[in-house]
Amino acid sequence: MAKTGTTTQGLRAAIERSGYYPALVAEAVEAAVGGEPIASYLVHQETTFDANEVRRHVTVLVLTANRFIVSHTDEQNADTSSPTPYATTSTESVKLDRISSVVLSRVVANPESYTPGTLPREVVLTIGWGAVSRIDLEPAACGDPNCEADHGYTGSSTADDLSLRVSEAGDGPETVRQALAFAQALSEATAATAATAANC
């Protein structure tokens, strides 16, 4: 379930509606936001199945005038390190000028009959700010099929700090709409930050 909006009260209400340890999640997020006004937010809860266990995870994204804040909360069952179930919550605050990419992938059904404004079937929001990079390598080759020389490797490095997938089937159309709205707000904020920096 994802919720998006622009007020502190709305953020708190969205976290409470998610039903996922709301007091814990809200305290961590609100401490990270501090007194800054909220420009946009997105609350996304997902449930995963691991063997016979059901695990929940909530991601909260918050955009302020100067920062992008991401919070993750996971629950764990009792294990050798803890006799009782526990949850781990973390927050990261990123200056907007550090965000290097905002990628929004859209999946649409029947693209031949697509009309503007139609909601995608699925969206994947990927945000990079340099904390995590993925390198994909493969052997390099030349155009000669008989060549046996070692051409080394070729590849690409991709910023992949956060990837969030929402789908109409799994999360509902409103969730997809809200993810699109947050992605647009974040893209506009990073563009404005870059323009301001260029004019200084």
Side-chain angles (χ1 to χ4, degrees), residues 69-140:
I69 297 160
V70 58
S71 172
H72 296 287
T73 304
D74 292 286
E75 63 183 357
Q76 305 291 332
N77 292 323
D79 55 26
T80 56
S81 67
S82 175
T84 59
Y86 61 97
T88 304
T89 187
S90 63
T91 57
E92 183 172 2
S93 176
V94 182
K95 290 182 179 180
L96 288 179
D97 61 5
R98 281 192 50 214
I99 294 180
S100 55
S101 65
V102 178
V103 181
L104 184 67
S105 301
R106 303 169 188 240
V107 177
V108 298
N110 304 312
E112 69 281 356
S113 59
Y114 177 80
T115 56
T118 301
L119 206 58
R121 184 173 68 187
E122 172 184 314
V123 297
V124 179
L125 174 60
T126 304
I127 304 165
W129 57 91
V132 178
S133 292
R134 184 181 71 243
I135 298 177
D136 296 316
L137 294 175
E138 61 184 35

Side-chain angles (χ1 to χ4, degrees), residues 36-40 61-70 92-102 127-130 182-197:
E36 283 192 78
I38 294 172
S40 186
L61 309 179
V62 180
L63 176 63
T64 71
N66 303 304
R67 297 182 297 149
F68 166 68
I69 297 160
V70 58
E92 183 172 2
S93 176
V94 182
K95 290 182 179 180
L96 288 179
D97 61 5
R98 281 192 50 214
I99 294 180
S100 55
S101 65
V102 178
I127 304 165
W129 57 91
F182 184 84
Q184 182 175 347
L186 181 59
S187 292
E188 290 172 355
T190 55
T193 300
T196 300

Side-chain angles (χ1 to χ4, degrees), residues 166-179:
V166 296
S167 69
E168 188 175 20
D171 302 293
E174 188 56 30
T175 301
V176 175
R177 207 171 278 115
Q178 292 163 347

